Amino acid sequence: MENSKLYIEHVIELLHAIANEQDVYVQQASDLLVETIKQQHSIFIFGASHAGILAQEMFYRTGGLVVVNPILPREVMLDVRPIIQTSQMERLAGYGKILADNSKMKAHDVLIIHSVSGRNTIAIDMALEAKKKGIAIIAITNVTYSKQVKSRHACGKNLYQIADIVIDNCGDFEDSCMLMDGMKQKVAPTSTITGAAIINSLVIQVVEKLLKQQIEPPIFHSANVDGGDEFNKALIEKYKNQIFYM
């Protein structure tokens, strides 16, 4: 039981590191998202395999931004069988470009990409193609990890070297963090917890900045409270030109 407590303490340390060391980048990212919303452009988010959990965390949920569009390609989602296919598709050259080309992204939109190692071809392909289209890239990644692994993309760069804004999840090499006696492989990743904290901090800052400009933030109510469905329906109608998931 002691190791589980140490894990929680370690996660708390990482969250403090993010709050203290990454706030300037979260601020930059929130400024960009505020302007994107005001200018009636769109926000997209992508992650492959477990990294895609953040796309689902930020999309269509209570307390979240109405204008966030997830890119959720079936081939890299966790319900694929055999699951090892997701690793193969992450490394397939050109697939990220196809996803970018077949999305609704256009110039002046923003794409958030979550990739912990930042080395796989799909994320890098997507980032490069999006930048060609005039789309700004916000990366959520593990910079320490990424600097220790070689890019799998022909360009030789990892995601943090391509993105316009980089938010570091401050995690451990390999993501798993607990090395217990008798084990060669560490246990218990942290990136889902820290990543969720990052994107929700980002949403909070966006809301704060919109309120300061006397703009009503486009935030979902819970559909499980009276009036929630009607409230959300009105917001979706108001922002229908910025969303592509209906």
Side-chain angles (χ1 to χ4, degrees):
M1 296 297 291
E2 184 62 27
N3 282 301
S4 64
K5 293 179 181 178
L6 290 173
Y7 171 74
I8 292 173
E9 290 174 2
H10 182 60
V11 169
I12 292 170
E13 289 174 359
L14 295 182
L15 293 173
H16 280 301
I18 291 165
N20 294 326
E21 300 168 15
Q22 299 303 306
D23 183 62
V24 62
Y25 308 111
V26 176
Q27 291 280 0
Q28 291 172 5
S30 64
D31 286 341
L32 179 58
L33 296 186
V34 166
E35 287 306 308
T36 302
I37 293 168
K38 286 171 58 181
Q39 299 301 321
Q40 299 182 17
H41 296 298
S42 298
I43 300 165
F44 293 82
I45 184 167
F46 169 76
S49 188
H50 286 91
I53 293 171
L54 289 200
Q56 296 180 67
E57 170 70 16
M58 203 174 188
F59 157 66
Y60 190 61
R61 69 169 303 167
T62 181
L65 288 166
V66 172
V67 293
V68 173
N69 300 278
I71 299 174
L72 301 171
R74 178 59 52 203
E75 294 81 6
V76 290
M77 294 294 103
L78 294 172
D79 58 349
V80 166
R81 297 294 181 271
I83 191 62
I84 56 172
Q85 178 180 309
T86 61
S87 296
Q88 296 167 344
M89 295 303 296
E90 282 185 292
R91 303 175 189 183
L92 181 64
Y95 182 45
K97 180 182 184 303
I98 291 170
L99 294 175
D101 287 342
N102 284 280
S103 74
K104 300 294 184 179
M105 291 187 294
K106 57 188 183 301
H108 309 298
D109 288 343
V110 175
L111 172 61
I112 302 168
I113 301 179
H114 179 218
S115 175
V116 179
S117 73
R119 73 180 305 202
N120 281 317
T121 309
I122 189 172
I124 298 167
D125 259 345
M126 185 178 288
L128 291 171
E129 189 62 24
K131 291 194 79 170
K132 288 179 185 177
K133 299 175 184 292
I135 297 160
I137 307 298
I138 299 170
I140 301 173
T141 189
N142 183 329
V143 176
T144 298
Y145 185 172
S146 197
K147 287 182 176 180
Q148 295 181 65
V149 294
K150 184 179 179 181
S151 174
R152 289 190 168 119
H153 194 278
C155 74
K157 294 182 179 180
N158 286 345
L159 181 62
Y160 78 92
Q161 297 169 298
I162 298 168
D164 300 288
I165 299 171
V166 177
I167 304 173
D168 190 353
N169 71 17
C170 298
D172 299 74
F173 179 66
E174 283 192 277
D175 196 15
S176 301
C177 65
M178 301 300 299
L179 185 59
M180 296 189 289
D181 291 343
M183 296 284 294
K184 294 181 180 180
Q185 170 60 40
K186 291 186 291 183
V187 177
T190 61
S191 60
T192 303
I193 298 173
T194 57
I198 287 168
I199 60 171
N200 284 304
S201 295
L202 187 56
V203 170
I204 289 169
Q205 290 194 12
V206 168
V207 169
E208 289 175 339
K209 291 172 181 179
L210 288 172
L211 288 172
K212 284 182 179 179
Q213 298 178 48
Q214 298 184 322
I215 298 170
E216 181 183 4
I219 295 293
F220 279 115
H221 257 304
S222 172
N224 296 315
V225 298
D226 293 341
D229 286 340
E230 293 77 11
F231 182 91
N232 293 339
K233 183 178 179 181
L235 271 181
I236 289 170
E237 175 62 24
K238 180 177 179 180
Y239 289 94
K240 62 184 179 181
N241 293 327
Q242 293 168 260
I243 61 177
F244 302 98
Y245 52 80
M246 296 302 293

